C-alpha cells in the first residue's frame, strides 16, 4: 500500500530517496533469502513434521497387523527337540526295561495344525484389520489436514504482517518528512514549539508502530518456520504474497449444504469415524465367534534316541531313530461351556464400543456441518468487510489528500492534519487485513472440499 503525499518537490524527492534506501536494503536482504510459496510451505511441513511421521508409523503397524491376521489362516508348523539325562532307575527306550544306570534320552518332533472351524474369528479379524488399516490411513490424512490448516493460517499471518510493516515504514517516512517541514517553518517563524512537539510525537508513534509491526512479523515467521520443522538458524526465507487478482478471483459464494455433502465424501475426519464404526461392528462378530466350538486338525511325527552309559549293548543311532519313528494325526474339539463369563462380557464390551463409534461418527458429522456453516458465514462477512474497508480506505485517502493540500498552504492546522493521517492509516490497516481475511476464508472452504491450497 502506498501513501500519496503532496509536500512539494523537495518532500517528494526525500520520500523517494528514503523509500529507495529501504527498498535497496530490503532487496539486498531478500537476495540471501529463500522464497517459499504457500504450496512449498505445506509440502515442507508434510515432509518434516514429526506428527505426520508418527501417524505414518501407525499405518505401517496396522499393515503388519493385517498381514499377521491373514497368515493366521495357514497351518502352523513347528519343530522341537529335547534331551534328558537321568540317573538311577529309568526306562530304557530300546528294551523298555527298567535300568538302574545313567541314561541319556533325546527326542525330536515335527508337528502341524490348522483350525477347521473357529466361529469365523480369524476371517472377521482379517476384515477388521483391513478396515483398521484404512482408518489408519484416514487418521494420517486427518493429521496432515490439521497441520496444513495451521500452516495456511500462519502463512497468511506472515503475509499480513509483512504488508503491515511496509505500511508502517511508509507512514514513518511521512511523519519524518512532516517533522522536517515543521522545523523549517519554525525557523521561518511560521510554527510554534507546540507544532514541533506534536510532529515529534507523530514520529515517535510511527517508530513504535514500525517496531511493533517488525516484532509481529518476526514472530509470525518463527511460527511458520516451526511448523515446517526448520531450525531457527536456517529459517531465513521469505513468503510469496497473493496478488490482487488472487483476491478478486477467489470464490466468495458457497452453498452450505453443497459444501457439506461434498466434504462428507472426502473429509478424512469423517472417513476415519466411518471406518472405526465399521471396524467396531466387525469386532462384535469377532467377540461372538469365541462363543462357538473350535475344531482343529493336528498331525506330527517324531523319534528318539537313548544312550545307556557303561553299557556295550547300545543300539546304533540310525537303528534307534528308524525303530522309534512315529506319526500321528487327529482332530481336536474345544467347546466353551463356562469361562467366567469372559466370552459374553467381551461381546457386551464390543457392542458398547460399537455404539460409541456410532456416536463418534455422528458427532464428527455434526461438527463438520457446524464448521462449514461457520466458514461460509465467515466468508460472506469477510466479503462484505472487504468491500466496506476498501470504500472506507479510498474515502479516507481522498480526504487526507485534500487536507494535506490545505495543510501545505496553511489552511489546516497540524492537529487536523495528523487526525486525517491517523484515520487514513487506520483505514489502510483495516483494508490490508480485510483483503487477506477474504482470501483466507475462501481457501478454508476449498480446504474442506479437498482442493489444493495455492495462489
Amino acid at each position: 500500500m502506498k501513501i500519496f503525499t503532496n509536500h512539494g518537490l523537495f518532500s517528494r524527492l526525500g520520500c523517494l530517496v528514503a523509500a529507495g534506501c529501504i527498498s535497496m536494503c530490503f532487496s539486498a536482504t531478500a537476495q540471501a533469502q529463500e522464497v517459499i510459496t504457500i504450496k512449498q510451505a505445506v509440502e515442507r511441513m508434510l515432509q518434516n513434521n514429526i506428527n505426520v511421521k508418527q501417524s505414518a508409523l501407525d499405518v505401517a503397524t496396522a499393515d503388519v497387523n493385517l498381514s499377521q491376521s491373514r497368515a493366521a489362516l495357514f497351518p502352523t508348523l513347528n519343530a522341537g527337540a529335547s534331551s534328558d539325562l537321568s540317573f538311577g532307575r529309568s526306562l530304557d527306550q530300546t528294551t523298555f526295561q527298567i535300568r538302574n544306570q545313567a541314561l541319556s534320552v533325546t527326542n525330536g518332533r515335527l508337528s502341524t495344525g490348522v483350525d477347521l472351524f473357529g466361529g469365523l474369528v480369524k476371517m472377521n479379524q482379517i476384515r477388521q484389520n483391513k478396515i483398521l488399516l484404512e482408518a489408519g490411513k484416514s487418521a494420517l490424512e486427518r493429521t496432515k489436514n490439521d497441520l496444513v490448516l495451521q500452516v495456511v493460517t500462519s502463512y497468511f499471518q506472515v503475509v499480513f504482517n509483512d504488508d503491515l510493516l511496509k505500511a508502517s515504514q511508509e507512514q514513518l517516512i511521512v511523519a519524518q518528512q512532516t517533522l522536517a517541514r515543521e522545523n523549517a517553518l519554525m525557523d521561518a517563524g511560521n510554527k510554534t514549539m507546540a507544532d514541533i512537539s506534536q510532529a515529534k510525537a507523530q514520529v515517535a508513534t510511527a517508530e513504535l508502530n514500525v517496531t511493533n509491526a517488525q516484532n509481529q512479523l518476526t514472530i509470525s515467521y518463527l511460527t511458520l518456520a516451526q511448523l515446517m520443522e526448520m531450525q531457527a538458524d536456517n529459517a531465513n526465507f521469505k513468503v510469496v504474497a497473493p496478488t490482487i487478482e488472487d483476491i478478486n478471483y477467489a470464490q466468495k459464494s458457497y452453498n452450505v449444504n453443497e459444501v457439506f455433502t461434498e466434504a462428507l465424501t472426502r473429509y478424512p475426519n469423517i472417513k476415519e469415524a466411518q471406518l472405526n464404526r465399521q471396524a467396531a461392528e466387525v469386532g462384535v462378530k469377532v467377540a461372538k465367534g469365541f462363543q462357538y466350538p473350535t475344531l482343529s486338525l493336528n498331525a506330527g511325527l517324531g523319534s528318539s534316541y537313548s544312550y545307556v552309559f557303561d553299557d556295550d549293548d547300545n543300539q546304533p543311532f540310525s537303528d534307534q531313530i528308524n525303530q522309534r519313528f512315529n506319526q500321528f494325526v487327529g482332530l481336536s474339539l474345544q467347546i466353551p461351556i463356562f469361562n467366567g463369563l469372559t466370552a459374553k462380557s467381551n461381546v457386551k464390551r464390543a457392542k458398547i464400543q460399537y455404539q460409541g463409534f456410532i456416536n463418534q461418527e455422528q458427532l464428527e458429522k455434526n461438527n463438520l456441518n457446524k464448521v462449514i456453516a461457520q466458514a461460509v458465514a465467515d466468508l460472506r462477512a469477510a466479503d462484505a468487510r472487504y468491500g466496506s474497508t476498501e470504500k472506507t480506505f479510498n474515502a479516507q485517502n481522498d480526504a487526507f489528500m485534500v487536507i494535506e493540500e490545505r495543510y501545505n498552504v496553511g489552511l489546516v492546522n497540524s492537529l487536523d492534519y495528523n487526525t486525517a493521517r491517523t484515520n487514513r492509516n487506520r483505514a489502510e490497516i483495516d483494508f490490508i487485513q480485510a483483503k487477506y481475511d477474504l482470501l483466507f476464508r475462501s481457501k478454508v472452504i476449498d480446504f474442506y472440499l479437498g482442493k489444493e491450497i495455492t495462489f
Side-chain angles (χ1 to χ4, degrees):
M1 295 295 174
K2 299 296 183 184
I3 295 179
F4 301 97
T5 60
N6 188 17
H7 291 169
L9 179 61
F10 179 79
S11 297
R12 288 182 180 277
L13 288 175
C15 182
L16 291 173
V17 170
C21 290
I22 292 177
S23 177
M24 291 175 60
C25 294
F26 182 79
S27 300
T29 304
Q31 289 178 357
Q33 291 178 322
E34 178 185 7
V35 178
I36 295 181
T37 65
I38 191 170
K39 181 180 179 180
Q40 291 171 332
V42 170
E43 290 174 347
R44 187 165 298 189
M45 178 277 296
L46 294 177
Q47 181 181 1
N48 298 331
N49 189 269
I50 301 299
N51 290 329
V52 173
K53 293 180 180 179
Q54 185 60 49
S55 294
L57 293 177
D58 294 338
V59 173
T61 300
D63 189 40
V64 172
N65 293 338
L66 175 60
S67 299
Q68 191 276 325
S69 61
R70 285 172 173 168
L73 293 176
F74 299 122
T76 60
L77 181 62
N78 297 288
S82 63
S83 181
D84 300 316
L85 180 64
S86 60
F87 302 90
R89 295 173 61 83
S90 59
L91 178 65
D92 188 341
Q93 296 292 331
T94 303
T95 62
F96 292 98
Q97 295 178 348
I98 299 298
R99 289 179 174 271
N100 191 15
Q101 292 176 287
L103 177 66
S104 173
V105 179
T106 301
N107 294 285
R109 59 194 174 275
L110 183 67
S111 62
T112 184
V114 62
D115 290 337
L116 301 179
F117 178 78
L120 299 179
V121 170
K122 293 184 178 180
M123 294 298 298
N124 284 323
Q125 284 176 336
I126 292 175
R127 290 177 56 199
Q128 186 181 40
N129 287 333
K130 187 181 297 184
I131 297 172
L132 288 175
L133 174 59
E134 295 303 315
K137 293 178 181 179
S138 293
L140 173 60
E141 291 304 313
R142 172 177 53 79
T143 300
K144 290 180 179 180
N145 268 20
D146 293 343
L147 291 168
V148 165
L149 194 56
Q150 292 182 42
V151 169
V152 171
T153 303
S154 297
Y155 193 97
F156 271 91
Q157 191 63 51
V158 170
V159 170
F160 166 68
N161 288 336
D162 189 46
D163 262 14
L164 182 61
L165 175 60
K166 292 176 182 177
S168 299
Q169 289 171 335
E170 291 175 348
Q171 292 161 15
L172 175 59
I173 292 174
V174 174
Q176 290 171 338
Q177 291 173 346
T178 301
L179 176 60
R181 182 178 180 277
E182 296 288 276
N183 283 323
L185 291 174
M186 183 178 177
D187 292 340
N190 295 327
K191 291 292 179 180
T192 65
M193 284 300 300
D195 296 320
I196 300 300
S197 297
Q198 192 170 32
K200 288 182 178 179
Q202 289 294 324
V203 171
T205 301
E207 289 175 343
L208 178 60
N209 290 337
V210 170
T211 301
N212 290 337
Q214 182 63 66
N215 291 338
Q216 292 176 11
L217 179 61
T218 300
I219 293 173
S220 58
Y221 263 114
L222 179 60
T223 301
L224 181 59
Q226 290 174 342
L227 286 171
M228 293 188 293
E229 300 292 341
M230 296 177 65
Q231 298 295 329
D233 295 340
N234 299 326
N236 185 24
F237 64 94
K238 182 173 178 58
V239 301
V240 177
T243 63
I244 193 65
E245 287 78 13
D246 294 319
I247 298 171
N248 292 335
Y249 293 154
Q251 188 170 345
K252 304 176 181 66
S253 177
Y254 288 91
N255 181 278
V256 174
N257 292 330
E258 291 178 358
V259 175
F260 176 68
T261 301
E262 181 68 20
L264 278 179
T265 64
R266 61 178 70 252
Y267 196 53
N269 297 48
I270 302 299
K271 283 187 176 181
E272 182 185 5
Q274 291 173 340
L275 291 167
N276 284 332
R277 185 256 304 162
Q278 294 172 10
E281 184 178 11
V282 178
V284 175
K285 296 179 180 180
V286 172
K288 288 181 176 179
F290 286 103
Q291 295 178 320
Y292 291 89
T294 301
L295 180 63
S296 302
L297 174 65
N298 302 293
L301 52 88
S303 187
S304 64
Y305 168 78
S306 62
Y307 178 81
V308 180
F309 294 93
D310 299 330
D311 191 337
D312 296 333
D313 296 329
N314 287 308
Q315 288 185 325
F317 176 81
S318 59
D319 292 344
Q320 291 191 42
I321 293 297
N322 291 330
Q323 290 174 4
R324 301 175 187 178
F325 182 74
N326 61 87
Q327 310 90 29
F328 74 91
V329 62
L331 291 173
S332 174
L333 178 65
Q334 291 185 345
I335 303 175
I337 298 176
F338 181 76
N339 293 284
L341 299 179
T342 300
K344 289 186 177 180
S345 297
N346 288 338
V347 172
K348 290 180 180 179
R349 276 191 289 265
K351 288 182 178 179
I352 293 172
Q353 188 178 41
Y354 173 54
Q355 188 60 49
F357 279 113
I358 291 178
N359 295 338
Q360 183 63 36
E361 180 183 0
Q362 187 59 49
L363 182 61
E364 289 291 345
K365 290 180 179 179
N366 293 345
N367 289 339
L368 179 62
N369 193 14
K370 293 176 183 177
V371 168
I372 288 177
Q374 185 64 52
V376 172
D378 289 342
L379 176 60
R380 191 179 299 115
D383 186 28
R385 184 169 180 267
Y386 173 73
S388 63
T389 55
E390 183 178 25
K391 292 177 182 178
T392 301
F393 169 68
N394 290 333
Q396 292 288 357
N397 186 65
D398 291 342
F400 172 72
M401 292 180 66
V402 171
I403 291 177
E404 185 181 42
E405 290 178 355
R406 300 183 66 189
Y407 174 74
N408 290 334
V409 296
L411 297 178
V412 173
N413 59 41
S414 58
L415 178 60
D416 291 338
Y417 170 75
N418 290 328
T419 300
R421 187 175 64 185
T422 300
N423 291 338
R424 181 213 173 275
N425 294 343
R426 244 179 233 165
E428 181 184 23
I429 293 173
D430 290 342
F431 180 52
I432 292 172
Q433 188 174 33
K435 72 175 182 178
Y436 289 131
D437 186 55
L438 173 61
L439 183 58
F440 172 73
R441 299 298 176 184
S442 179
K443 293 299 181 181
V444 165
I445 298 181
D446 288 344
F447 165 79
Y448 287 114
L449 292 175
K451 298 179 182 179
E452 184 180 46
I453 298 181
T454 184
F455 48 74

